[in-house]
Amino acid sequence: MGVVGVGSGPARVREQFLRGGTVEGAVRSPILSSWQRSQELGLSPDACDLPYRPDIDLEGRLVSAARPVLDRLEARFAGMNMNVALADGHGAVLQRRFGSPAMARQLAAIQSVPGFVFAEQFAGTNGIGLALAERQLINVYGAEHFAERAQTNACSAIPVRDPLSGRIEGILCFGYPLADAEADAELNLLIRRAAGAIERRLLKQSSARERALLQAYLDARQRRAPAGGTGADGQPTGLGARGLDRRDETILKEQAAGLISAAQRAAVDVWLPGGRQVTLLSHPVTSPSGVEGVAIEAVFAPGQRLAVPVDAEAPGGPAQQPGASTDRPPRSPDGVTGRPLTTARTPGTTGDATGREPGGLIMVGEPEVGRYAVAARRRLELLSEASTRIGTTLDVAGTARELAEMAVPRLADYVTIDLSPTVLRGEEPSDPRTGLHRTVVHGFRADCPFYPAGERVELRSTTPQLRALADGQPVLEPELSSAGGWIAQNPEHARSILDHGVHSLVAVPLLARGIALGVASFYRSRDPAPYGDDDRSLALELATRAAICIDNARRYTREHAMVLALQRSLLPHSFPEQNAVEVAHRYMPAASGVGGDWFDVIPLSSARVALVVGDVVGHGLHAAATMGRLRTAARNFAELDLAPDELLTHLDNLVGRLDRDEGFEDPSAGGTGIIGATCLYAIYDPTSQQCVMARAGHPPPALVAPDGSVTFPDLPAGPPLGLGGLPFETAAFHLPEGSQLVLYTDGLVADRRRDLDTALDQLGRVLARPNRAPEDTCDAVCHSVVPLHPTDDIALLVARTHALPPGRIATWELPTDPSRVRDIRAAVTRRLSEWGLDEVVHATQLLLSELVTNAIRYGSGPIQVRLLHDRTLTCEVADTSSTAPHLRRAATTDEGGRGLFLVAQLAQTWGTRYTADGKVIWAECALDATSGRSDAAESYLHDIPAI
């Protein structure tokens, strides 16, 4: 069914996918996977009927926790075309808010009324469904939606999790017009913060639910007097062998640790493998010495036995033994939930109304121990998330900002990051203690009371930051109000920071490969507790991971600068003087790396000019070096006066040799993969105003007529360079004087945010301006068509054509008769006198005498003589023979062989050009000299026979 190229737009890719074509590499992996799942479910893009659930809980804990956050979002988006939706864990929309109230009246019910289910199995690829499937923040743009009705929209969606269980409680989704999809980074940050606020409110609600369950349990216990509960040894009864293995024990103790950390009465159902269920009950206890703790007891279903002894250890006992499984068991539909206690009996009784049997003591511990376990889990979650969120770009400052955004607000309220200026430039880091650059200032409030970003920071050696850099270890200042070294840096500024509530600091050096890149400072203000050792360890772990990413970004910056310098050195800085076209050009490297795009303008014989644009696949040093080789080869082949299709054939063979000679066909041998390149080569002749061109897998050019009309000619595509064995085709076009020929690489029109056809239409509209200078055309294209953040290099070449006036062209037809040479010499003399070129008459007569004589002696058919008066004087002699003359140095005893040597001495340059009817021998004479003859030519004049 065909293959869609990487440069194709999302709409075309989606259309090709729906037709059964191959689109790998042309669409993001999560989107393609969702499309495939949607097809497997039998969904139709134009008929995705969503189920409606009237029984949704509009006053549940998720809605209650989210309502204040949704109110703030509604106010934040006031007057904007923004649709904020809150869905439950099954994809059913619970709440909708609109930036503009009119949207609710304009949108269809499916987009404005709660109750519709947007799970992927019903709606296909969409924000809510894909966030549930991928379990992370996602963005879906326009044609990436599976349903037809959503093609004009974009959305960002993120899961909302229960902070204790990690279970997805719901989805928060922002929907907005596709045309407004430029501020994705800001929206993603905002939706992350909004989801975090909802999760924190869910955490507060958990304690209230547990207290409610606790009260229900206490009421039930008061109504039912215990009938015993301890054995002869004083331990709770009922802990016989119940068939539970060590994995079951680990699961129960993990849940018990969470209950202990809550330090409240509670009851939860824990589901064990095999569908078994155990209810855990927690009881606050106080030892005779006054130590307060929590006891966790279990109630088992009939027939279950616990094959473990009574355990009064705190968390970290057998549950942490080597080899113990940490896999979570299957849970009830609500996860680990409280159960009704009105029918339960207290542990130690003989059963309850549901048939459950008392078990016994599972664990006793202090609440602080349980809280440490929960805090450790949260630290691990933070570090796990940091491994995916820090280092997503290869920008030094951007990576530093990701560290700050990762730390706020879960570790710090404010973060400042200072880096060495050499690191920002990509150079090897110097001693950062001699000077730092404030790179990032980030906090939960916009008015961060710190030195602003972008300035040089001079710190005293007594500050925590420089102490951390000197020792290579983090420095903890629990109470900044008493940190003399920190206050001494700037007492007035320090007082301002303290007045903002900042009270604790951890300064951590950013070390990579043992070299200091800078320092990160974590400040706390909202949490009244000062930083402790655990916080310092967590900050160090975060900073260490970020430092490696920053150093990778620094190395990339250095390589990028080197490759960019190489790329620019290999591209033309100026073009040779010629009159055929007026040219302007632009080269723009990709935002993420330098590629192998190139362009060139090559003067050819007979006032013609060659225009070439090419693109080497890939980025980096290899692509830039390959580009330089191909550009050099193209210039060399152009010197042979090859036709466009022949030149591309030679380049194709060259790329194939590069693959074979350098081992690119065998990546295991150290190669980087097969070289790929595209190219467009055009030759414009100002004498006929004809342009002949051919392309090898390259985008077609744009032709702008003098009246401003724009066309994209149907030029045969041809295969990319390097495939070998496939022919290239040429096409000829008449370009009236004043036309513009616009050549470009695919980076100009290839962008994931717009369809390829849309980009070409936009380019056509920008070019549709008559009588505009090429420089102005380049500026207009760069301003209106170039993507905001191009993912590929862009090369742009604009050439406005000129014609050689007919009065500067002289043509004569000759039979193969030596006697007619004298007539040609006379005619040439008269024409040169008319042009005011009397000073080159003698040299031109000699040139034409030799060329015409050779054509008569060794050529065939009618002979044509042509003079072109441009920057130089070009003499052409054409015949129907394909035999080319060769320059040689004749010996003194040879009777012939001196003619071409004389031509080479008299002419500035000369050569042979093959045509469909034969060949053309041409020679150019400079017009700035009184004589084209050299001393060497004079020495041969006496040997030339008189004609």
Side-chain angles (χ1 to χ4, degrees):
M1 293 297 294
V3 178
V4 173
V6 176
S8 300
R12 183 168 295 180
V13 173
R14 178 176 175 274
E15 179 182 357
Q16 183 74 3
F17 171 81
L18 294 176
R19 291 201 306 264
T22 302
V23 298
E24 280 79 6
V27 64
R28 292 184 291 147
S29 178
I31 300 297
L32 178 57
S33 299
S34 181
W35 285 355
Q36 293 170 341
R37 291 193 297 266
S38 300
Q39 272 196 340
E40 292 172 357
L41 291 169
L43 300 179
S44 174
D46 54 358
C48 289
D49 296 326
L50 305 188
Y52 177 77
R53 284 179 47 191
D55 59 339
I56 56 175
D57 188 359
L58 296 178
E59 298 297 332
R61 60 188 298 262
L62 177 61
V63 175
S64 177
R67 184 174 287 112
V69 180
L70 295 178
D71 291 341
R72 292 196 296 270
L73 289 174
E74 185 176 8
R76 167 68 173 77
F77 294 128
M80 301 172 62
N81 291 329
M82 182 66 71
N83 181 345
V84 180
L86 177 71
D88 63 17
H90 303 288
V93 175
L94 304 174
Q95 288 273 301
R96 282 197 182 272
R97 302 294 178 89
F98 301 95
S100 174
M103 291 182 64
R105 299 188 297 270
Q106 298 171 356
L107 295 175
I110 196 174
Q111 296 176 299
S112 59
V113 177
F116 287 96
V117 181
F118 283 82
E120 192 179 64
Q121 61 266 34
F122 304 114
T125 308
N126 71 94
I128 294 174
L130 193 55
L132 280 172
E134 295 291 331
R135 305 180 66 83
Q136 62 181 349
L137 172 65
I138 58 92
N139 301 102
V140 183
Y141 305 98
E144 292 180 340
H145 288 88
F146 191 76
E148 293 284 354
R149 61 173 173 268
Q151 300 296 293
T152 60
N153 299 326
C155 61
S156 302
I158 189 172
V160 177
R161 290 180 167 86
D162 186 313
L164 292 179
S165 67
R167 182 170 60 94
I168 294 179
E169 293 287 338
I171 299 294
L172 181 64
C173 181
F174 293 169
Y176 46 94
L178 182 60
D180 299 338
E182 295 295 334
D184 288 346
E186 296 181 6
L187 282 180
N188 286 346
L189 180 59
L190 179 60
I191 199 171
R192 286 184 188 276
R193 291 175 173 173
I198 297 174
E199 290 173 350
R200 289 191 294 273
R201 292 182 60 82
L202 283 173
L203 183 61
K204 293 179 180 179
Q205 287 185 0
S206 297
S207 298
R209 284 207 314 162
E210 290 170 358
R211 284 194 295 271
L213 291 173
L214 170 62
Q215 187 60 51
Y217 172 73
L218 293 176
D219 292 342
R221 187 171 184 176
Q222 290 175 358
R223 290 193 297 269
R224 296 173 177 83
T230 59
D233 57 358
Q235 297 291 348
T237 59
L239 285 179
R242 294 182 178 272
L244 304 182
D245 57 20
R246 180 170 294 276
R247 182 183 183 187
D248 300 328
E249 175 191 358
T250 303
I251 294 171
L252 292 175
K253 289 192 173 184
E254 181 181 352
Q255 299 301 324
L259 290 174
I260 290 177
S261 67
Q264 298 169 349
R265 294 182 181 272
V268 296
D269 287 339
V270 179
W271 289 83
L272 301 176
R276 296 165 297 162
Q277 187 181 39
V278 176
T279 301
L280 296 182
L281 305 177
S282 62
H283 303 276
V285 295
T286 303
S287 69
S289 61
V291 177
E292 296 181 351
V294 177
I296 307 299
E297 299 175 350
V299 175
F300 300 95
Q304 292 184 359
R305 300 294 173 182
L306 184 62
V308 294
V310 174
D311 182 8
E313 296 182 17
Q320 305 296 329
Q321 293 177 358
S325 171
T326 58
D327 294 341
R328 294 185 179 274
R331 296 181 176 178
S332 62
D334 293 329
V336 178
T337 61
R339 56 183 294 274
L341 299 176
T342 55
T343 59
R345 288 185 178 272
T346 59
T349 64
T350 59
D352 61 20
T354 63
R356 290 181 176 267
E357 298 179 1
L361 185 65
I362 296 295
M363 185 182 295
V364 172
E366 297 181 50
E368 284 300 320
V369 178
R371 292 193 184 101
Y372 286 143
V374 173
R377 186 181 69 185
R378 292 175 180 171
R379 287 195 293 270
L380 290 175
E381 291 174 349
L382 177 62
L383 292 176
S384 176
E385 185 177 351
S387 64
T388 60
R389 287 184 54 188
I390 298 178
T392 60
T393 68
L394 289 173
D395 176 71
V396 173
T399 304
R401 174 160 288 278
E402 288 174 341
L403 168 61
E405 293 174 349
M406 188 71 246
V408 176
R410 285 183 282 181
L411 175 62
D413 297 310
Y414 298 100
V415 175
T416 65
I417 299 178
D418 306 320
L419 297 177
S420 170
T422 57
V423 173
L424 294 172
R425 295 193 298 267
E427 302 171 5
E428 287 292 333
S430 58
D431 186 359
R433 292 174 294 179
T434 60
L436 290 169
H437 182 87
R438 177 58 50 89
T439 306
V440 174
V441 177
H442 181 65
F444 76 99
R445 290 173 51 178
D447 56 337
C448 299
F450 300 98
Y451 296 134
E455 293 187 359
R456 184 180 177 88
V457 180
E458 296 290 347
L459 299 176
R460 294 191 179 190
S461 58
T462 57
T463 59
Q465 289 82 1
L466 285 196
R467 286 161 49 202
L469 286 172
D471 299 338
Q473 297 294 330
V475 174
L476 171 64
E477 291 286 359
E479 297 293 339
L480 284 177
S481 59
S482 58
W486 177 76
I487 295 175
Q489 170 69 25
N490 187 332
E492 182 178 351
H493 185 62
R495 179 55 53 192
S496 173
I497 294 175
L498 293 173
D499 290 342
H500 277 77
V502 178
H503 61 82
S504 194
L505 162 68
V506 177
V508 185
L510 298 172
L511 302 177
R513 298 179 294 114
I515 301 175
L517 308 176
V519 61
S521 302
F522 302 88
Y523 295 90
R524 177 174 286 176
S525 65
R526 291 181 294 178
D527 189 343
Y531 280 128
D533 291 336
D534 290 341
D535 300 309
R536 178 172 56 185
S537 300
L538 178 58
L540 176 60
E541 184 68 24
L542 272 179
T544 300
R545 298 188 181 196
I548 295 174
C549 296
I550 291 174
D551 192 54
N552 289 339
R554 178 195 66 80
R555 289 167 174 258
Y556 170 80
T557 301
R558 180 181 62 180
E559 180 183 342
H560 179 80
M562 293 173 56
V563 174
L564 185 59
L566 174 63
Q567 170 87 330
R568 295 193 181 279
S569 69
L570 295 175
L571 289 173
H573 300 283
S574 61
F575 297 123
E577 294 182 351
Q578 45 78 38
N579 292 336
V581 292
E582 176 188 354
V583 296
H585 60 88
R586 296 289 187 275
Y587 169 74
M588 289 154 282
S592 59
V594 178
D597 293 14
W598 92 91
F599 56 89
D600 213 342
V601 177
I602 309 170
L604 301 178
S605 63
S606 304
R608 299 171 306 136
V609 66
L611 305 172
V612 58
V613 170
D615 184 2
V616 175
V617 175
H619 295 83
L621 189 62
H622 171 256
T626 302
M627 176 275 292
R629 300 171 75 172
L630 291 183
R631 176 176 174 251
T632 301
R635 292 190 68 90
N636 291 336
F637 292 143
E639 291 291 334
L640 300 177
D641 263 331
L642 298 176
D645 55 339
E646 295 177 356
L647 183 138
L648 292 181
T649 299
H650 284 284
L651 286 180
D652 182 60
N653 294 334
L654 173 63
V655 172
R657 287 196 299 272
L658 290 177
D659 281 336
R660 295 189 298 269
D661 297 344
E662 300 186 11
F664 291 112
E665 291 181 342
D666 183 11
S668 63
T672 58
I674 296 176
I675 298 173
T678 65
C679 184
L680 188 150
Y681 187 80
I683 297 177
Y684 172 70
D685 187 346
T687 64
S688 62
Q689 301 179 41
Q690 288 290 111
C691 183
V692 181
M693 61 184 75
R695 62 183 178 128
H698 202 83
L703 301 181
V704 185
D707 62 0
S709 59
V710 180
T711 59
F712 294 89
D714 187 16
L715 183 63
L721 299 176
L723 297 184
L726 298 174
F728 298 97
E729 299 180 54
T730 61
F733 304 92
H734 180 73
L735 300 182
E737 185 172 12
S739 300
Q740 285 194 358
L741 180 61
V742 181
L743 284 67
Y744 53 90
T745 54
D746 61 358
L748 179 66
V749 294
D751 183 30
R752 71 177 180 86
R753 298 180 183 275
R754 63 183 177 187
D755 186 78
L756 178 61
D757 294 336
T758 301
L760 291 176
D761 290 342
Q762 186 178 6
L763 176 61
R765 290 193 299 271
V766 172
L767 295 177
R769 288 279 302 278
N771 301 321
R772 183 163 57 185
E775 283 290 344
D776 296 336
T777 299
C778 284
D779 290 339
V781 171
C782 293
H783 181 267
S784 303
V785 184
V786 173
L788 183 61
H789 299 289
T791 58
D792 194 9
D793 284 21
I794 298 174
L796 175 66
L797 184 64
V798 179
R800 182 164 62 180
T801 64
H802 298 289
L804 189 63
R808 287 177 171 258
I809 305 173
T811 306
W812 298 274
E813 300 289 340
L814 290 177
T816 56
D817 181 0
S819 64
R820 299 296 302 274
V821 176
R822 188 182 304 273
D823 298 335
I824 285 297
R825 293 178 65 176
V828 167
T829 300
R830 289 192 299 271
R831 182 53 61 93
L832 291 179
S833 296
E834 294 174 4
W835 289 345
L837 302 177
D838 295 321
E839 68 277 5
V840 297
V841 169
H842 183 59
T844 305
Q845 288 179 340
L846 293 176
L847 282 172
L848 286 177
S849 295
E850 290 300 325
L851 295 178
V852 173
T853 300
N854 279 339
I856 293 174
R857 289 179 177 177
Y858 308 110
S860 63
I863 298 172
Q864 184 187 75
V865 177
R866 189 169 71 155
L867 291 182
L868 303 177
H869 181 197
D870 193 38
R871 288 180 175 270
T872 61
L873 179 66
T874 303
C875 304
E876 294 182 351
V877 177
D879 61 65
T880 58
S881 172
S882 60
T883 303
H886 297 282
L887 178 65
R888 67 184 180 88
R889 188 177 185 91
T892 56
T893 58
D894 291 340
E895 294 184 3
R898 297 175 178 83
L900 284 181
F901 183 82
L902 181 61
V903 170
Q905 296 299 313
L906 293 172
Q908 182 174 269
T909 181
W910 72 281
T912 303
R913 180 172 73 251
Y914 292 96
T915 65
D917 301 324
K919 68 177 184 296
V920 176
I921 308 297
W922 56 270
E924 291 183 0
C925 294
L927 299 179
D928 56 353
T930 59
S931 174
R933 293 179 298 173
S934 66
D935 294 337
E938 287 286 355
S939 66
Y940 281 89
L941 288 180
H942 68 278
D943 293 328
I944 299 176
I947 299 179

